[in-house]
Amino acid sequence: MSRRAPSDNREVDSREGGWMRRAVALAAASQPHPNPRVGAVVLTPGGEEIGAAFHAGPGTPHAEVLALGQAGDRARGATLVTTLEPCSHYGRTPPCADALIDAGVARVVVGTVDPDRQVSGAGIDRLREAGIDVTVGVAEADALALDPGYFHHRRTGLARFRLKLAATLDGQTAARDGTSQWITSGEAREDAHQLRAAADAVMIGAGTLRADDPLLDVRIDTFQGEQPRPVVVAGALPLPEGRRLYGRSPLVYAPAPLEPVSGCEVVVAAGHSGVDLLTMGKDLASRGILEVLVDGGPRLATSFLEAGLADQLTVYFGAKVAGGSGLPMFSSVFTTLQAATNIDIFTVTKVGPDLRVDARVREEPA
């Protein structure tokens, strides 16, 4: 059975979606930012896998080159499946398109075009000019979902921000006396650590730093990647002393210069009423921090929502009903229905006794 690839109107073997998802799975846990997550698989004409790899990070060989190396001489006449268009320019490593041409592959199957202006179709063109059959757009939704931070940055120049919230079923993040441990179950908290593991940075406000003294690290026994960098959005008050986070070299964004605190890097991003979040988003991206988990309190969540910089929300609803007014998920006043933010809820999952809801913020009203 075959179908047409959406990007180039070619007939595609139905097995290629499975091969592409295999390539996606290879790269899913990698942390290569500011480079993209990329997985690649090399297959014989009969469909036997002879090479499979992912890109580990800047300065290391790209997924296509690693997979070709595993295939060796068997790469000649083979098919290479890659989640992202092979690069066509010299950076820290030579172009992957040239490596594919030199290896003598007969066919390349691409998940999606690279939005980076240095590539953006040039790699595909080079392969086709060399006589290689190229199909684009196979399992494209999976290829795009592999690295939303990369695609968001190449489109906007900003880091991508995911708001993580936890509340009772009726929307309370804490009781009136401030108690909030634990609104959600151990299973939900472990699931939230998976979000941290996928992020380049975890962000809180200075209020959370003062009240909770968090570490913002990934606490999963099987986690072997690089810990996300802690980020603090500060206000006009001095930072509290003796916080555990200071041992993890946090980035601190402030509206004005702060008294130096050992271990902290303070970046001034002055806005009208605090830190300018747009300036912060650009600065984070310039440091290779493309995916940020915002794990602070209601005020910080509200500021991102109001600034239009919240790209995704992940809300854990604990199996509890507050039955009264404590602390809501957001701090501003809801004056009229027209002020609500439209979202697309794309998954609702049971996590232990709790619910996890994932939603994207719509760019345009429904």
Side-chain angles (χ1 to χ4, degrees):
M1 182 180 291
S2 63
R3 63 176 177 80
R4 292 188 182 276
S7 295
D8 61 7
N9 205 34
R10 294 182 176 217
E11 293 291 336
V12 180
D13 189 313
S14 61
R15 295 173 296 174
E16 291 175 354
W19 293 335
M20 187 63 68
R21 283 183 280 275
R22 160 72 171 145
V24 167
L26 285 167
S30 64
Q31 296 176 300
H33 291 163
N35 288 8
R37 292 189 183 102
V38 181
V41 178
V42 184
L43 302 148
T44 67
E48 177 192 355
E49 183 180 302
I50 54 175
F54 65 89
H55 177 50
T60 65
H62 289 188
E64 301 95 319
V65 172
L66 289 171
L68 288 172
Q70 293 175 17
D73 293 340
R74 298 181 74 188
R76 188 162 298 278
T79 293
L80 182 132
V81 178
T82 178
T83 58
L84 188 68
E85 174 185 6
C87 63
S88 55
H89 65 286
Y90 280 88
R92 296 188 186 183
T93 58
C96 290
D98 288 357
L100 291 165
I101 294 167
D102 293 342
V105 300
R107 190 154 182 260
V108 175
V109 179
V110 178
T112 190
V113 174
D114 191 337
D116 192 299
R117 286 178 291 180
Q118 295 183 90
V119 187
S120 196
I124 292 167
D125 289 345
R126 183 175 294 191
L127 294 174
R128 285 176 173 161
E129 288 165 3
I132 295 174
D133 181 28
V134 182
T135 301
V136 184
V138 174
E140 187 165 27
D142 297 279
L144 290 168
L146 174 61
D147 198 352
Y150 174 79
F151 291 103
H152 179 80
H153 171 252
R154 293 307 190 270
R155 188 174 71 251
T156 67
L158 300 170
R160 179 178 181 268
F161 297 100
R162 182 206 293 250
L163 305 188
K164 175 255 174 181
L165 303 158
T168 61
L169 190 61
D170 50 343
Q172 303 302 305
T173 63
R176 187 64 62 87
D177 64 0
T179 55
S180 61
Q181 296 184 338
W182 293 107
I183 281 177
T184 55
S185 64
E187 294 94 327
R189 297 195 297 277
E190 183 174 352
D191 189 77
H193 275 270
Q194 296 288 353
L195 299 183
R196 289 187 179 185
D200 300 318
V202 180
M203 177 181 290
I204 58 171
T208 300
L209 180 66
R210 291 186 182 89
D212 297 344
D213 191 17
L215 268 175
L216 304 185
D217 58 343
V218 178
R219 294 188 293 279
I220 301 172
D221 291 340
T222 56
F223 179 69
Q224 298 179 337
E226 185 177 346
Q227 288 283 350
R229 188 163 188 187
V231 178
V232 178
V233 180
L237 296 176
L239 293 174
E241 296 181 359
R243 290 301 185 263
R244 297 184 298 166
L245 201 60
Y246 300 160
R248 297 195 54 230
S249 302
L251 268 173
V252 179
Y253 289 91
L258 296 174
E259 287 293 324
V261 173
S262 179
C264 298
E265 180 182 355
V266 177
V267 179
V268 175
H272 293 300
S273 57
V275 169
D276 185 275
L277 300 184
L278 188 63
T279 299
M280 181 178 68
K282 292 178 180 178
D283 185 78
L284 287 165
S286 74
R287 299 168 183 267
I289 297 173
L290 307 187
E291 192 76 45
V292 181
L293 181 66
V294 181
D295 199 3
R299 289 183 61 187
L300 188 61
T302 299
S303 66
F304 272 95
L305 206 61
E306 291 180 343
L309 292 176
D311 301 291
Q312 185 171 331
L313 285 79
T314 296
V315 184
Y316 293 92
F317 289 103
K320 292 179 175 66
V321 174
S325 177
L327 294 177
M329 287 188 280
F330 298 97
S331 62
S332 61
V333 177
F334 184 37
T335 55
T336 178
L337 186 59
Q338 283 67 41
T341 299
N342 291 302
I343 61 173
D344 288 312
I345 297 173
F346 59 92
T347 58
V348 178
T349 312
K350 192 84 182 292
V351 182
D354 306 325
L355 286 178
R356 170 177 162 171
V357 178
D358 290 283
R360 298 183 189 92
V361 176
R362 290 184 191 163
E363 295 183 1
E364 297 293 338

